[in-house]
Amino acid sequence: QVQLVESGGGLVQAGGSLRLSCAASGFIFSLNAMGWYRQAPGKQRELVATITNGGSPTYTNSVKGRFTISRDNAKRTVYLQMNSLKPEDTAVYYCRSWGGSSSYWGQGTQVTVSS
């Protein structure tokens, strides 16, 4: 059974930091690309960052220089370090894994940044 379980969300003041984690099980983690998406109230889900199975990251422009995605294949976990948080970063953050014809989503973790 495939599971992606996010953790690390919470309430933080603007300028603060959070680290999100996504623990994976039920598939060969090291073969899949991983990504973080977010969805703010009333908005569409958007891509935040991705990391290939080889460890190459990409970022959406609005988080470049502030967020860092990383993965630990031994722990089957992907991370999103978020620094210099802004109120506009407030959203539910989702973890996604994909590879071949498969695609899996986590349930999400809420991040709220107060001004």
Side-chain angles (χ1 to χ4, degrees), residues 2-38:
V2 172
Q3 279 194 313
L4 294 173
V5 180
E6 300 99 333
S7 62
L11 173 64
V12 64
Q13 288 189 331
S17 299
L18 285 174
R19 188 176 83 151
L20 305 183
S21 299
C22 172
S25 61
F27 62 95
I28 304 175
F29 179 82
S30 61
L31 295 182
N32 277 21
M34 301 295 296
W36 287 96
Y37 292 69
R38 65 187 179 187

PDB file of all heavy atoms in Angstrom, residues 2-38:
ATOM      1  N   VAL A   2       0.656   2.097  -0.982  1.00  0.00           N
ATOM      2  CA  VAL A   2       1.456   3.311  -1.094  1.00  0.00           C
ATOM      3  C   VAL A   2       0.978   4.343  -0.082  1.00  0.00           C
ATOM      4  O   VAL A   2      -0.218   4.573   0.073  1.00  0.00           O
ATOM      5  CB  VAL A   2       1.350   3.892  -2.510  1.00  0.00           C
ATOM      6  CG1 VAL A   2       2.025   5.253  -2.587  1.00  0.00           C
ATOM      7  CG2 VAL A   2       1.970   2.934  -3.523  1.00  0.00           C
ATOM      8  N   GLN A   3       1.943   4.943   0.607  1.00  0.00           N
ATOM      9  CA  GLN A   3       1.617   6.030   1.524  1.00  0.00           C
ATOM     10  C   GLN A   3       2.643   7.136   1.405  1.00  0.00           C
ATOM     11  O   GLN A   3       3.849   6.879   1.309  1.00  0.00           O
ATOM     12  CB  GLN A   3       1.590   5.521   2.972  1.00  0.00           C
ATOM     13  CG  GLN A   3       0.321   4.830   3.378  1.00  0.00           C
ATOM     14  CD  GLN A   3       0.208   4.661   4.889  1.00  0.00           C
ATOM     15  OE1 GLN A   3       1.152   4.238   5.537  1.00  0.00           O
ATOM     16  NE2 GLN A   3      -0.944   5.001   5.434  1.00  0.00           N
ATOM     17  N   LEU A   4       2.142   8.365   1.402  1.00  0.00           N
ATOM     18  CA  LEU A   4       2.980   9.553   1.528  1.00  0.00           C
ATOM     19  C   LEU A   4       2.417  10.344   2.698  1.00  0.00           C
ATOM     20  O   LEU A   4       1.260  10.759   2.656  1.00  0.00           O
ATOM     21  CB  LEU A   4       2.942  10.396   0.256  1.00  0.00           C
ATOM     22  CG  LEU A   4       3.551   9.781  -0.999  1.00  0.00           C
ATOM     23  CD1 LEU A   4       3.289  10.679  -2.208  1.00  0.00           C
ATOM     24  CD2 LEU A   4       5.042   9.552  -0.829  1.00  0.00           C
ATOM     25  N   VAL A   5       3.232  10.530   3.735  1.00  0.00           N
ATOM     26  CA  VAL A   5       2.750  11.177   4.948  1.00  0.00           C
ATOM     27  C   VAL A   5       3.574  12.429   5.203  1.00  0.00           C
ATOM     28  O   VAL A   5       4.777  12.343   5.507  1.00  0.00           O
ATOM     29  CB  VAL A   5       2.837  10.230   6.158  1.00  0.00           C
ATOM     30  CG1 VAL A   5       2.334  10.933   7.410  1.00  0.00           C
ATOM     31  CG2 VAL A   5       2.033   8.956   5.897  1.00  0.00           C
ATOM     32  N   GLU A   6       2.905  13.563   5.065  1.00  0.00           N
ATOM     33  CA  GLU A   6       3.570  14.848   5.291  1.00  0.00           C
ATOM     34  C   GLU A   6       3.516  15.225   6.766  1.00  0.00           C
ATOM     35  O   GLU A   6       2.581  14.877   7.482  1.00  0.00           O
ATOM     36  CB  GLU A   6       2.908  15.967   4.478  1.00  0.00           C
ATOM     37  CG  GLU A   6       2.905  15.769   2.982  1.00  0.00           C
ATOM     38  CD  GLU A   6       1.587  15.238   2.460  1.00  0.00           C
ATOM     39  OE1 GLU A   6       0.878  14.563   3.241  1.00  0.00           O
ATOM     40  OE2 GLU A   6       1.264  15.484   1.282  1.00  0.00           O
ATOM     41  N   SER A   7       4.511  15.970   7.195  1.00  0.00           N
ATOM     42  CA  SER A   7       4.549  16.513   8.550  1.00  0.00           C
ATOM     43  C   SER A   7       5.392  17.777   8.556  1.00  0.00           C
ATOM     44  O   SER A   7       6.102  18.053   7.574  1.00  0.00           O
ATOM     45  CB  SER A   7       5.121  15.490   9.536  1.00  0.00           C
ATOM     46  OG  SER A   7       6.452  15.154   9.196  1.00  0.00           O
ATOM     47  N   GLY A   8       5.302  18.535   9.643  1.00  0.00           N
ATOM     48  CA  GLY A   8       6.139  19.715   9.801  1.00  0.00           C
ATOM     49  C   GLY A   8       5.445  21.036   9.571  1.00  0.00           C
ATOM     50  O   GLY A   8       6.047  22.097   9.759  1.00  0.00           O
ATOM     51  N   GLY A   9       4.199  21.003   9.150  1.00  0.00           N
ATOM     52  CA  GLY A   9       3.472  22.248   8.954  1.00  0.00           C
ATOM     53  C   GLY A   9       3.142  22.908  10.279  1.00  0.00           C
ATOM     54  O   GLY A   9       3.349  22.339  11.353  1.00  0.00           O
ATOM     55  N   GLY A  10       2.625  24.136  10.188  1.00  0.00           N
ATOM     56  CA  GLY A  10       2.256  24.839  11.401  1.00  0.00           C
ATOM     57  C   GLY A  10       2.081  26.316  11.151  1.00  0.00           C
ATOM     58  O   GLY A  10       1.998  26.768  10.010  1.00  0.00           O
ATOM     59  N   LEU A  11       2.025  27.066  12.248  1.00  0.00           N
ATOM     60  CA  LEU A  11       1.867  28.512  12.213  1.00  0.00           C
ATOM     61  C   LEU A  11       3.208  29.164  12.514  1.00  0.00           C
ATOM     62  O   LEU A  11       3.862  28.806  13.506  1.00  0.00           O
ATOM     63  CB  LEU A  11       0.827  28.942  13.241  1.00  0.00           C
ATOM     64  CG  LEU A  11       0.635  30.442  13.465  1.00  0.00           C
ATOM     65  CD1 LEU A  11       0.108  31.103  12.190  1.00  0.00           C
ATOM     66  CD2 LEU A  11      -0.315  30.686  14.631  1.00  0.00           C
ATOM     67  N   VAL A  12       3.619  30.096  11.673  1.00  0.00           N
ATOM     68  CA  VAL A  12       4.896  30.771  11.847  1.00  0.00           C
ATOM     69  C   VAL A  12       4.733  32.232  11.454  1.00  0.00           C
ATOM     70  O   VAL A  12       3.891  32.559  10.610  1.00  0.00           O
ATOM     71  CB  VAL A  12       5.993  30.076  11.010  1.00  0.00           C
ATOM     72  CG1 VAL A  12       5.700  30.173   9.528  1.00  0.00           C
ATOM     73  CG2 VAL A  12       7.369  30.605  11.343  1.00  0.00           C
ATOM     74  N   GLN A  13       5.530  33.093  12.053  1.00  0.00           N
ATOM     75  CA  GLN A  13       5.492  34.500  11.688  1.00  0.00           C
ATOM     76  C   GLN A  13       6.263  34.737  10.401  1.00  0.00           C
ATOM     77  O   GLN A  13       7.188  33.963  10.060  1.00  0.00           O
ATOM     78  CB  GLN A  13       6.090  35.344  12.813  1.00  0.00           C
ATOM     79  CG  GLN A  13       5.215  35.450  14.048  1.00  0.00           C
ATOM     80  CD  GLN A  13       5.740  36.471  15.041  1.00  0.00           C
ATOM     81  OE1 GLN A  13       6.945  36.708  15.107  1.00  0.00           O
ATOM     82  NE2 GLN A  13       4.841  37.065  15.819  1.00  0.00           N
ATOM     83  N   ALA A  14       5.904  35.786   9.710  1.00  0.00           N
ATOM     84  CA  ALA A  14       6.630  36.161   8.500  1.00  0.00           C
ATOM     85  C   ALA A  14       8.115  36.306   8.814  1.00  0.00           C
ATOM     86  O   ALA A  14       8.482  36.863   9.853  1.00  0.00           O
ATOM     87  CB  ALA A  14       6.076  37.460   7.927  1.00  0.00           C
ATOM     88  N   GLY A  15       8.937  35.793   7.913  1.00  0.00           N
ATOM     89  CA  GLY A  15      10.375  35.791   8.112  1.00  0.00           C
ATOM     90  C   GLY A  15      10.902  34.541   8.781  1.00  0.00           C
ATOM     91  O   GLY A  15      12.121  34.320   8.821  1.00  0.00           O
ATOM     92  N   GLY A  16      10.006  33.722   9.291  1.00  0.00           N
ATOM     93  CA  GLY A  16      10.397  32.494   9.982  1.00  0.00           C
ATOM     94  C   GLY A  16      10.660  31.347   9.027  1.00  0.00           C
ATOM     95  O   GLY A  16      10.626  31.501   7.801  1.00  0.00           O
ATOM     96  N   SER A  17      10.912  30.185   9.625  1.00  0.00           N
ATOM     97  CA  SER A  17      11.264  28.995   8.854  1.00  0.00           C
ATOM     98  C   SER A  17      10.455  27.797   9.321  1.00  0.00           C
ATOM     99  O   SER A  17      10.034  27.716  10.480  1.00  0.00           O
ATOM    100  CB  SER A  17      12.750  28.666   9.008  1.00  0.00           C
ATOM    101  OG  SER A  17      13.571  29.703   8.534  1.00  0.00           O
ATOM    102  N   LEU A  18      10.252  26.876   8.405  1.00  0.00           N
ATOM    103  CA  LEU A  18       9.664  25.572   8.692  1.00  0.00           C
ATOM    104  C   LEU A  18      10.359  24.548   7.805  1.00  0.00           C
ATOM    105  O   LEU A  18      10.811  24.880   6.700  1.00  0.00           O
ATOM    106  CB  LEU A  18       8.168  25.544   8.396  1.00  0.00           C
ATOM    107  CG  LEU A  18       7.210  26.230   9.367  1.00  0.00           C
ATOM    108  CD1 LEU A  18       5.798  26.210   8.792  1.00  0.00           C
ATOM    109  CD2 LEU A  18       7.224  25.558  10.727  1.00  0.00           C
ATOM    110  N   ARG A  19      10.399  23.303   8.278  1.00  0.00           N
ATOM    111  CA  ARG A  19      10.869  22.211   7.431  1.00  0.00           C
ATOM    112  C   ARG A  19       9.778  21.159   7.342  1.00  0.00           C
ATOM    113  O   ARG A  19       9.364  20.580   8.346  1.00  0.00           O
ATOM    114  CB  ARG A  19      12.158  21.582   7.964  1.00  0.00           C
ATOM    115  CG  ARG A  19      12.731  20.573   6.968  1.00  0.00           C
ATOM    116  CD  ARG A  19      14.056  19.993   7.394  1.00  0.00           C
ATOM    117  NE  ARG A  19      13.912  18.884   8.316  1.00  0.00           N
ATOM    118  CZ  ARG A  19      14.785  17.882   8.423  1.00  0.00           C
ATOM    119  NH1 ARG A  19      15.869  17.870   7.642  1.00  0.00           N
ATOM    120  NH2 ARG A  19      14.616  16.932   9.309  1.00  0.00           N
ATOM    121  N   LEU A  20       9.330  20.929   6.125  1.00  0.00           N
ATOM    122  CA  LEU A  20       8.332  19.888   5.870  1.00  0.00           C
ATOM    123  C   LEU A  20       9.040  18.578   5.541  1.00  0.00           C
ATOM    124  O   LEU A  20      10.095  18.581   4.910  1.00  0.00           O
ATOM    125  CB  LEU A  20       7.422  20.279   4.706  1.00  0.00           C
ATOM    126  CG  LEU A  20       6.705  21.622   4.815  1.00  0.00           C
ATOM    127  CD1 LEU A  20       5.778  21.803   3.606  1.00  0.00           C
ATOM    128  CD2 LEU A  20       5.930  21.742   6.101  1.00  0.00           C
ATOM    129  N   SER A  21       8.416  17.490   5.968  1.00  0.00           N
ATOM    130  CA  SER A  21       8.917  16.155   5.650  1.00  0.00           C
ATOM    131  C   SER A  21       7.803  15.349   5.005  1.00  0.00           C
ATOM    132  O   SER A  21       6.624  15.541   5.316  1.00  0.00           O
ATOM    133  CB  SER A  21       9.390  15.436   6.918  1.00  0.00           C
ATOM    134  OG  SER A  21      10.435  16.125   7.556  1.00  0.00           O
ATOM    135  N   CYS A  22       8.183  14.442   4.128  1.00  0.00           N
ATOM    136  CA  CYS A  22       7.231  13.528   3.511  1.00  0.00           C
ATOM    137  C   CYS A  22       7.845  12.143   3.538  1.00  0.00           C
ATOM    138  O   CYS A  22       8.831  11.885   2.845  1.00  0.00           O
ATOM    139  CB  CYS A  22       6.931  13.962   2.083  1.00  0.00           C
ATOM    140  SG  CYS A  22       5.944  12.769   1.150  1.00  0.00           S
ATOM    141  N   ALA A  23       7.269  11.275   4.360  1.00  0.00           N
ATOM    142  CA  ALA A  23       7.759   9.908   4.501  1.00  0.00           C
ATOM    143  C   ALA A  23       6.985   8.996   3.558  1.00  0.00           C
ATOM    144  O   ALA A  23       5.747   9.001   3.565  1.00  0.00           O
ATOM    145  CB  ALA A  23       7.606   9.447   5.941  1.00  0.00           C
ATOM    146  N   ALA A  24       7.709   8.217   2.775  1.00  0.00           N
ATOM    147  CA  ALA A  24       7.096   7.387   1.740  1.00  0.00           C
ATOM    148  C   ALA A  24       7.221   5.901   2.056  1.00  0.00           C
ATOM    149  O   ALA A  24       8.203   5.466   2.664  1.00  0.00           O
ATOM    150  CB  ALA A  24       7.768   7.672   0.399  1.00  0.00           C
ATOM    151  N   SER A  25       6.236   5.151   1.624  1.00  0.00           N
ATOM    152  CA  SER A  25       6.284   3.696   1.751  1.00  0.00           C
ATOM    153  C   SER A  25       5.432   3.071   0.660  1.00  0.00           C
ATOM    154  O   SER A  25       4.566   3.731   0.091  1.00  0.00           O
ATOM    155  CB  SER A  25       5.791   3.261   3.138  1.00  0.00           C
ATOM    156  OG  SER A  25       4.462   3.666   3.346  1.00  0.00           O
ATOM    157  N   GLY A  26       5.713   1.808   0.351  1.00  0.00           N
ATOM    158  CA  GLY A  26       4.880   1.074  -0.585  1.00  0.00           C
ATOM    159  C   GLY A  26       5.319   1.114  -2.027  1.00  0.00           C
ATOM    160  O   GLY A  26       4.631   0.565  -2.899  1.00  0.00           O
ATOM    161  N   PHE A  27       6.455   1.743  -2.314  1.00  0.00           N
ATOM    162  CA  PHE A  27       6.986   1.768  -3.672  1.00  0.00           C
ATOM    163  C   PHE A  27       8.497   1.971  -3.568  1.00  0.00           C
ATOM    164  O   PHE A  27       9.030   2.236  -2.490  1.00  0.00           O
ATOM    165  CB  PHE A  27       6.338   2.863  -4.517  1.00  0.00           C
ATOM    166  CG  PHE A  27       6.559   4.259  -4.006  1.00  0.00           C
ATOM    167  CD1 PHE A  27       7.590   5.048  -4.489  1.00  0.00           C
ATOM    168  CD2 PHE A  27       5.721   4.792  -3.032  1.00  0.00           C
ATOM    169  CE1 PHE A  27       7.794   6.332  -4.010  1.00  0.00           C
ATOM    170  CE2 PHE A  27       5.920   6.076  -2.540  1.00  0.00           C
ATOM    171  CZ  PHE A  27       6.959   6.849  -3.031  1.00  0.00           C
ATOM    172  N   ILE A  28       9.178   1.842  -4.719  1.00  0.00           N
ATOM    173  CA  ILE A  28      10.638   1.975  -4.707  1.00  0.00           C
ATOM    174  C   ILE A  28      10.983   3.460  -4.752  1.00  0.00           C
ATOM    175  O   ILE A  28      11.053   4.073  -5.822  1.00  0.00           O
ATOM    176  CB  ILE A  28      11.278   1.213  -5.876  1.00  0.00           C
ATOM    177  CG1 ILE A  28      10.854  -0.259  -5.840  1.00  0.00           C
ATOM    178  CG2 ILE A  28      12.809   1.308  -5.802  1.00  0.00           C
ATOM    179  CD1 ILE A  28      11.332  -1.077  -7.015  1.00  0.00           C
ATOM    180  N   PHE A  29      11.192   4.012  -3.574  1.00  0.00           N
ATOM    181  CA  PHE A  29      11.359   5.456  -3.422  1.00  0.00           C
ATOM    182  C   PHE A  29      12.497   6.000  -4.289  1.00  0.00           C
ATOM    183  O   PHE A  29      12.352   7.045  -4.917  1.00  0.00           O
ATOM    184  CB  PHE A  29      11.629   5.762  -1.945  1.00  0.00           C
ATOM    185  CG  PHE A  29      11.838   7.216  -1.632  1.00  0.00           C
ATOM    186  CD1 PHE A  29      10.758   8.063  -1.469  1.00  0.00           C
ATOM    187  CD2 PHE A  29      13.122   7.738  -1.501  1.00  0.00           C
ATOM    188  CE1 PHE A  29      10.936   9.405  -1.172  1.00  0.00           C
ATOM    189  CE2 PHE A  29      13.316   9.077  -1.205  1.00  0.00           C
ATOM    190  CZ  PHE A  29      12.221   9.918  -1.043  1.00  0.00           C
ATOM    191  N   SER A  30      13.614   5.309  -4.311  1.00  0.00           N
ATOM    192  CA  SER A  30      14.809   5.841  -4.984  1.00  0.00           C
ATOM    193  C   SER A  30      14.636   5.965  -6.489  1.00  0.00           C
ATOM    194  O   SER A  30      15.398   6.694  -7.132  1.00  0.00           O
ATOM    195  CB  SER A  30      16.010   4.952  -4.672  1.00  0.00           C
ATOM    196  OG  SER A  30      15.791   3.632  -5.149  1.00  0.00           O
ATOM    197  N   LEU A  31      13.641   5.306  -7.057  1.00  0.00           N
ATOM    198  CA  LEU A  31      13.433   5.367  -8.504  1.00  0.00           C
ATOM    199  C   LEU A  31      12.531   6.524  -8.922  1.00  0.00           C
ATOM    200  O   LEU A  31      12.492   6.891 -10.098  1.00  0.00           O
ATOM    201  CB  LEU A  31      12.830   4.053  -9.006  1.00  0.00           C
ATOM    202  CG  LEU A  31      13.703   2.816  -8.870  1.00  0.00           C
ATOM    203  CD1 LEU A  31      12.986   1.605  -9.470  1.00  0.00           C
ATOM    204  CD2 LEU A  31      15.060   3.018  -9.531  1.00  0.00           C
ATOM    205  N   ASN A  32      11.807   7.070  -7.973  1.00  0.00           N
ATOM    206  CA  ASN A  32      10.793   8.077  -8.305  1.00  0.00           C
ATOM    207  C   ASN A  32      11.261   9.496  -8.110  1.00  0.00           C
ATOM    208  O   ASN A  32      12.036   9.788  -7.200  1.00  0.00           O
ATOM    209  CB  ASN A  32       9.542   7.859  -7.453  1.00  0.00           C
ATOM    210  CG  ASN A  32       8.620   6.816  -8.024  1.00  0.00           C
ATOM    211  OD1 ASN A  32       9.041   5.977  -8.824  1.00  0.00           O
ATOM    212  ND2 ASN A  32       7.364   6.851  -7.623  1.00  0.00           N
ATOM    213  N   ALA A  33      10.763  10.376  -8.956  1.00  0.00           N
ATOM    214  CA  ALA A  33      10.902  11.800  -8.685  1.00  0.00           C
ATOM    215  C   ALA A  33       9.922  12.172  -7.572  1.00  0.00           C
ATOM    216  O   ALA A  33       8.918  11.491  -7.354  1.00  0.00           O
ATOM    217  CB  ALA A  33      10.593  12.608  -9.931  1.00  0.00           C
ATOM    218  N   MET A  34      10.233  13.263  -6.883  1.00  0.00           N
ATOM    219  CA  MET A  34       9.391  13.732  -5.780  1.00  0.00           C
ATOM    220  C   MET A  34       9.137  15.223  -5.945  1.00  0.00           C
ATOM    221  O   MET A  34       9.958  15.939  -6.528  1.00  0.00           O
ATOM    222  CB  MET A  34      10.070  13.483  -4.433  1.00  0.00           C
ATOM    223  CG  MET A  34      10.403  12.027  -4.132  1.00  0.00           C
ATOM    224  SD  MET A  34       8.945  10.990  -3.951  1.00  0.00           S
ATOM    225  CE  MET A  34       8.178  11.709  -2.487  1.00  0.00           C
ATOM    226  N   GLY A  35       8.043  15.679  -5.395  1.00  0.00           N
ATOM    227  CA  GLY A  35       7.757  17.097  -5.503  1.00  0.00           C
ATOM    228  C   GLY A  35       6.869  17.595  -4.380  1.00  0.00           C
ATOM    229  O   GLY A  35       6.218  16.799  -3.692  1.00  0.00           O
ATOM    230  N   TRP A  36       6.908  18.900  -4.203  1.00  0.00           N
ATOM    231  CA  TRP A  36       6.016  19.577  -3.261  1.00  0.00           C
ATOM    232  C   TRP A  36       5.129  20.531  -4.058  1.00  0.00           C
ATOM    233  O   TRP A  36       5.610  21.273  -4.935  1.00  0.00           O
ATOM    234  CB  TRP A  36       6.804  20.361  -2.219  1.00  0.00           C
ATOM    235  CG  TRP A  36       7.483  19.511  -1.207  1.00  0.00           C
ATOM    236  CD1 TRP A  36       8.775  19.083  -1.224  1.00  0.00           C
ATOM    237  CD2 TRP A  36       6.890  18.970  -0.012  1.00  0.00           C
ATOM    238  NE1 TRP A  36       9.030  18.298  -0.112  1.00  0.00           N
ATOM    239  CE2 TRP A  36       7.888  18.228   0.648  1.00  0.00           C
ATOM    240  CE3 TRP A  36       5.621  19.054   0.571  1.00  0.00           C
ATOM    241  CZ2 TRP A  36       7.652  17.555   1.855  1.00  0.00           C
ATOM    242  CZ3 TRP A  36       5.399  18.394   1.765  1.00  0.00           C
ATOM    243  CH2 TRP A  36       6.404  17.663   2.399  1.00  0.00           C
ATOM    244  N   TYR A  37       3.846  20.482  -3.759  1.00  0.00           N
ATOM    245  CA  TYR A  37       2.854  21.374  -4.340  1.00  0.00           C
ATOM    246  C   TYR A  37       2.156  22.094  -3.192  1.00  0.00           C
ATOM    247  O   TYR A  37       2.245  21.664  -2.035  1.00  0.00           O
ATOM    248  CB  TYR A  37       1.808  20.571  -5.135  1.00  0.00           C
ATOM    249  CG  TYR A  37       2.332  19.910  -6.384  1.00  0.00           C
ATOM    250  CD1 TYR A  37       3.219  18.840  -6.320  1.00  0.00           C
ATOM    251  CD2 TYR A  37       1.924  20.341  -7.641  1.00  0.00           C
ATOM    252  CE1 TYR A  37       3.690  18.228  -7.465  1.00  0.00           C
ATOM    253  CE2 TYR A  37       2.384  19.733  -8.801  1.00  0.00           C
ATOM    254  CZ  TYR A  37       3.276  18.677  -8.697  1.00  0.00           C
ATOM    255  OH  TYR A  37       3.742  18.083  -9.838  1.00  0.00           O
ATOM    256  N   ARG A  38       1.442  23.168  -3.529  1.00  0.00           N
ATOM    257  CA  ARG A  38       0.665  23.843  -2.493  1.00  0.00           C
ATOM    258  C   ARG A  38      -0.634  24.377  -3.085  1.00  0.00           C
ATOM    259  O   ARG A  38      -0.712  24.652  -4.273  1.00  0.00           O
ATOM    260  CB  ARG A  38       1.466  24.975  -1.851  1.00  0.00           C
ATOM    261  CG  ARG A  38       1.803  26.128  -2.778  1.00  0.00           C
ATOM    262  CD  ARG A  38       2.737  27.115  -2.074  1.00  0.00           C
ATOM    263  NE  ARG A  38       3.095  28.236  -2.939  1.00  0.00           N
ATOM    264  CZ  ARG A  38       3.996  29.156  -2.616  1.00  0.00           C
ATOM    265  NH1 ARG A  38       4.641  29.093  -1.442  1.00  0.00           N
ATOM    266  NH2 ARG A  38       4.260  30.151  -3.444  1.00  0.00           N
TER     267      ARG A  38
END
